[in-house]
Amino acid sequence: MKLISSIVEVTWAFSCLSRKYELQQLLNEFCGTSRRTFEFGRTHVVRPKGQHQATIVWLHGLGDNGSSWSQLLETLPLPNIKWICPTAPTRPVAIFGGFPCTAWFDVGEISEDAPIDLEGLDASAAHVANLLSTEPPNIKLGIGGFSMGAATALYSATCHVLGHYGNGNIYPINLSAIVSLSGWLPCSRTLKNQIERSRDGIRRAASLPLLLCHGRGDDVVAYEHGERSAVALSSAGFPNLIFRSYNGLGHYTIPEETDEVCRWLTANLGLEGFRLN
């Protein structure tokens, strides 16, 4: 009976915690006065083995960290790229009932109708832009990521094209490449109208190359979300976009996909010294 009682108490406590989190979020939205502070984790850097021609910030997925991706990126045959792999802040995440983990922004569900954590997206996009802001002027700059990191990379692309963050502050970085693996596009419903209202936005969108890759067997971020994101970007005025699908691929990456990324980055950034083993 004591064990059953303990289980009931824990379940009840977790339920209360989840409801408390949801109520606090609603209160913050209603009042419009919530200003969160975000403490980003450790940043891992992979130095170029050859001539430094490009710098790419690579963003991990939900619950991960920069270290895991830096180890993979270091093995890629791209000697002229410097990789910067930051770690997202640890924050309560609605999809986990408010349980804290590393996340670039808060998310309750992955869908076009889900509430958007614009404050979190802006904070992460600004952090990425700040990491790129100290690179030499002759270095091409890009952003890539996996899953939630890919969503943040695509959001950063829209900030670059529009010239400002969602909060209206100026976006300061000129991007040359965006890579999204197993991700989705936040704010997709309003993007086309926003770009069409800006001549500079139309010009920037036309010149920014994007690579989106998605597994057809993805059971975390469904393939349809990646496909719809590609369609939304294309219709919004991104003609230099490639969407690659992989039969049987789940929510992870495979050598076939990373080989595609290497070839695409080499071609679009004009990199030298690429050799695919």
Side-chain angles (χ1 to χ4, degrees), residues 208-223:
L208 180 63
L210 295 90
L211 174 65
L212 280 68
C213 302
H214 217 107
R216 290 184 175 272
D218 196 326
D219 59 352
V220 177
V221 180
Y223 171 80

Side-chain angles (χ1 to χ4, degrees), residues 13 16 97 123 183-184 196 214 265 273:
C16 288
W184 73 95
E196 288 177 344
H214 217 107
L265 285 173

Side-chain angles (χ1 to χ4, degrees), residues 50-235:
Q51 180 187 358
H52 184 195
Q53 294 180 299
T55 296
I56 298 177
V57 172
W58 191 270
L59 305 173
H60 61 77
L62 180 64
D64 202 356
N65 59 67
S67 175
S68 61
W69 276 97
S70 69
Q71 296 172 43
L72 171 63
L73 296 170
E74 192 169 16
T75 68
L76 298 183
L78 295 170
N80 304 115
I81 293 182
K82 172 185 174 182
W83 300 95
I84 301 177
C85 304
T87 299
T90 297
R91 69 179 78 197
V93 178
I95 203 169
F96 296 145
F99 188 82
C101 68
T102 53
W104 299 109
F105 54 93
D106 190 17
V107 60
E109 61 176 308
I110 301 170
S111 79
E112 295 178 353
D113 299 321
I116 297 170
D117 177 18
L118 197 59
E119 186 182 5
L121 280 164
D122 279 345
S124 290
H127 182 68
V128 171
N130 185 57
L131 291 172
L132 291 170
S133 66
T134 57
E135 293 301 293
N138 62 324
I139 298 301
K140 293 182 178 179
L141 307 178
I143 305 173
F146 176 80
S147 190
M148 177 179 273
T152 307
L154 292 177
Y155 179 74
S156 295
T158 66
C159 293
H160 157 68
V161 166
L162 296 171
H164 58 80
Y165 299 101
N167 59 18
N169 292 339
I170 294 174
Y171 187 79
I173 301 300
N174 184 33
L175 297 175
S176 298
I178 298 291
V179 178
S180 167
L181 307 184
S182 305
W184 73 95
L185 173 65
C187 310
S188 61
R189 289 177 296 175
T190 59
L191 181 61
K192 184 177 180 180
N193 289 337
Q194 288 180 295
I195 292 178
E196 288 177 344
R197 292 198 299 264
S198 167
R199 288 185 179 180
D200 288 339
I202 294 172
R203 176 181 54 81
R204 293 190 193 105
S207 62
L208 180 63
L210 295 90
L211 174 65
L212 280 68
C213 302
H214 217 107
R216 290 184 175 272
D218 196 326
D219 59 352
V220 177
V221 180
Y223 171 80
E224 289 73 20
H225 293 305
E227 187 177 43
R228 281 199 292 266
S229 295
V231 171
L233 287 163
S234 295
S235 65

